[in-house]
Amino acid sequence: MGQDKLTVGLIYGGKSGEHEVSLQTAFAVSQAFNYDKYELLPFYIDKQGKWSVGGKLSAPFSALEELKLESGAGDTAAAMSLLFGKLSTGESAIDVAFPLLHGTNGEDGTIQGLFEMADLPYVGAGVLASAAGMDKVIMKKLFAEAGLAQCKYCYFTASEWERASHTLVQGIEDELGYPCFVKPANLGSSVGISKARTRDELMNSIAIALRYDVKVIVEEFVDAREVEVGVLGNDEPLPSVPGEIVSSGEYYDYQAKYLDGKSQMLIPAPLDPELAERIRDLAVKAFKAISGSGLCRADFFVRKADQAIWINEVNTMPGFTPFSMYPLLWRETGVSYETLLDRLIGLALERYEARQNLEFESGVL
């Protein structure tokens, strides 16, 4: 660590269903870093959860396959000893951790807790915000408490479903009606989500969602435009221009999001200026409602009937390739991909410093 360059631990892959997306993101980030300022230390987590650590990079990966670190990489024990170096030797192998993990074990607070234990600054949301941002039910409760308007929803656990499926179905039909959307409570990237138009479809959709999580959320259908805003910052977060998703499918599912390339992103969204400004304000409010830090993407519904703005969800580790919504929103707001990486690392270090001072003060008492 004696050089002027910052060593960034890039952590990617993971056990989640979004493993491949994470690799694409890490590849793109490695291409965009300014290697005069940073060197990268790659940590790859395979689909079984095993870690590998490579050597320091002073140039980008040249091919996606290289990210899997097969030749001469250290194993999980080597990766952990580097991450926890500050505690064992007093010397830290990395100056800041940059998790590029989506979904389970990546943006749900799990790995954030690991970084906290290792006394490392890290990019993005903390443990609480990550966990709240991953659990759609907890997130909705926090939004409600913050006074943010949202669609009607019901939720239940797998054991409640086993015990009282008939009652739950009746409740969903009375409260929400058809069509409705069924989602696993904890999963990103639209995996396991389906639209139910009848009772049979509802039962089938719930069975699918329960393959991915032990808690399911069912939401009313909203005939609305889908508008998204990037938020960047810690205590004084800034919103990007809004963007609109015009989906190729009936709704923005995994296929539309990643595979068919037909969904359009309109940036900036064609909204009247006052409406756009209200959505940007609400994005910051949503970020604060979950105690966000670093970054998040806030997703809204703008109801076609009356232009009502409803929060849908926030994503604390949004897709981050140069073609993903979050970086494109910021590019249109005047912040390039490379500058965005700089800002995020700066925010990680700033948050770490602020918390260090707190802990030091408490030690004096």
Side-chain angles (χ1 to χ4, degrees), residues 99 109 112 122-130 290-295 316-317 351:
Q112 288 75 16
Y122 56 95
V123 169
V127 175
L128 175 74
S130 299
I290 63 150
S291 295
S293 52
L295 75 164
T316 57
M317 185 42 77
R351 177 171 175 268

Side-chain angles (χ1 to χ4, degrees), residues 22 66 81 139 142 262 286 295 343 357:
S22 173
E66 280 182 24
S81 83
M139 186 198 306
L142 290 172
K262 291 180 197 143
L295 75 164
R343 291 257 184 106
N357 295 339

Side-chain angles (χ1 to χ4, degrees), residues 175-243:
E175 284 286 309
L176 311 178
Y178 295 110
C180 56
F181 285 107
V182 181
K183 306 176 178 181
N186 283 278
L187 212 63
S189 278
S190 316
V191 175
I193 294 179
S194 43
K195 185 177 183 178
R197 298 165 194 80
T198 62
R199 182 176 285 198
D200 282 350
E201 286 188 6
L202 178 64
M203 303 295 281
N204 190 43
S205 295
I206 290 168
I208 291 168
L210 285 169
R211 285 180 10 213
Y212 294 99
D213 195 14
V214 293
K215 186 160 62 173
V216 169
I217 185 164
V218 186
E219 298 173 353
E220 70 171 310
F221 168 74
V222 193
D223 186 19
R225 298 164 67 183
E226 294 188 44
V227 176
E228 304 186 344
V229 176
V231 181
L232 179 65
N234 287 338
D235 296 335
E236 295 173 25
L238 298 171
S240 72
V241 298

Side-chain angles (χ1 to χ4, degrees), residues 25-242:
T25 304
F27 185 67
V29 167
S30 90
Q31 301 289 315
F33 261 111
N34 178 346
Y35 288 91
D36 294 334
K37 289 167 74 170
Y38 306 105
E39 53 188 4
L40 296 189
L41 190 59
F43 293 84
Y44 170 60
I45 307 172
D46 73 12
K47 288 182 179 176
Q48 284 68 50
K50 294 195 182 85
W51 289 59
S52 313
V53 58
K56 283 188 182 173
L57 295 176
S58 46
F61 287 109
S62 53
L64 202 60
E65 268 313 294
E66 280 182 24
L67 277 87
K68 296 188 177 170
L69 307 178
E70 275 151 15
S71 56
D75 61 4
T76 301
M80 289 305 125
S81 83
L82 282 171
L83 281 179
F84 283 87
K86 190 190 283 187
L87 302 183
S88 54
T89 66
E91 277 294 307
S92 187
I94 60 177
D95 296 307
V96 60
F98 199 151
L100 293 167
L101 298 156
H102 301 290
T104 320
N105 294 333
E107 57 179 317
D108 58 2
T110 315
I111 200 155
Q112 288 75 16
L114 181 78
F115 299 144
E116 294 280 356
M117 296 297 286
D119 194 21
L120 283 174
Y122 56 95
V123 169
V127 175
L128 175 74
S130 299
M134 180 52 78
D135 187 310
K136 292 180 171 66
V137 175
I138 302 295
M139 186 198 306
K140 284 179 182 296
K141 289 179 175 181
L142 290 172
F143 290 158
E145 202 274 333
L148 291 158
Q150 54 193 335
C151 68
K152 286 189 289 194
Y153 65 97
C154 301
Y155 65 94
F156 48 86
T157 63
S159 61
E160 285 167 342
W161 177 249
E162 274 171 38
R163 284 199 311 272
S165 61
H166 184 71
T167 312
L168 287 167
V169 166
Q170 281 189 314
I172 290 164
E173 290 177 341
D174 293 347
E175 284 286 309
L176 311 178
Y178 295 110
C180 56
F181 285 107
V182 181
K183 306 176 178 181
N186 283 278
L187 212 63
S189 278
S190 316
V191 175
I193 294 179
S194 43
K195 185 177 183 178
R197 298 165 194 80
T198 62
R199 182 176 285 198
D200 282 350
E201 286 188 6
L202 178 64
M203 303 295 281
N204 190 43
S205 295
I206 290 168
I208 291 168
L210 285 169
R211 285 180 10 213
Y212 294 99
D213 195 14
V214 293
K215 186 160 62 173
V216 169
I217 185 164
V218 186
E219 298 173 353
E220 70 171 310
F221 168 74
V222 193
D223 186 19
R225 298 164 67 183
E226 294 188 44
V227 176
E228 304 186 344
V229 176
V231 181
L232 179 65
N234 287 338
D235 296 335
E236 295 173 25
L238 298 171
S240 72
V241 298

Side-chain angles (χ1 to χ4, degrees), residues 207-362:
I208 291 168
L210 285 169
R211 285 180 10 213
Y212 294 99
D213 195 14
V214 293
K215 186 160 62 173
V216 169
I217 185 164
V218 186
E219 298 173 353
E220 70 171 310
F221 168 74
V222 193
D223 186 19
R225 298 164 67 183
E226 294 188 44
V227 176
E228 304 186 344
V229 176
V231 181
L232 179 65
N234 287 338
D235 296 335
E236 295 173 25
L238 298 171
S240 72
V241 298
E244 182 170 2
I245 302 248
V246 183
S247 177
S248 57
E250 271 197 75
Y251 59 100
Y252 194 38
D253 62 1
Y254 189 88
Q255 182 78 21
K257 207 179 241 190
Y258 294 116
L259 305 176
D260 67 9
K262 291 180 197 143
S263 294
Q264 279 185 290
M265 293 190 273
L266 306 177
I267 309 172
L271 297 164
D272 82 60
E274 190 198 342
L275 190 62
E277 207 48 46
R278 270 172 49 219
I279 294 169
R280 294 175 78 220
D281 289 345
L282 290 169
V284 169
K285 198 170 176 183
F287 180 83
K288 289 181 171 175
I290 63 150
S291 295
S293 52
L295 75 164
C296 94
R297 195 192 67 232
D299 301 353
F300 294 91
F301 293 129
V302 179
R303 202 162 53 179
K304 289 177 183 172
D306 59 1
Q307 305 294 297
I309 307 163
W310 287 0
I311 183 81
N312 176 24
E313 62 180 5
V314 290
N315 191 318
T316 57
M317 185 42 77
F320 208 84
T321 72
F323 312 107
S324 302
M325 188 61 144
Y326 184 86
L328 288 174
L329 288 168
W330 280 107
R331 191 179 79 180
E332 199 59 37
T333 312
V335 182
S336 72
Y337 194 67
E338 189 184 308
T339 306
L340 200 50
L341 294 174
D342 273 349
R343 291 257 184 106
L344 288 169
I345 287 166
L347 288 165
L349 296 168
E350 173 195 291
R351 177 171 175 268
Y352 177 80
E353 284 306 316
R355 287 162 64 93
Q356 290 306 99
N357 295 339
L358 274 181
E359 287 166 27
F360 178 72
E361 289 300 327
S362 68

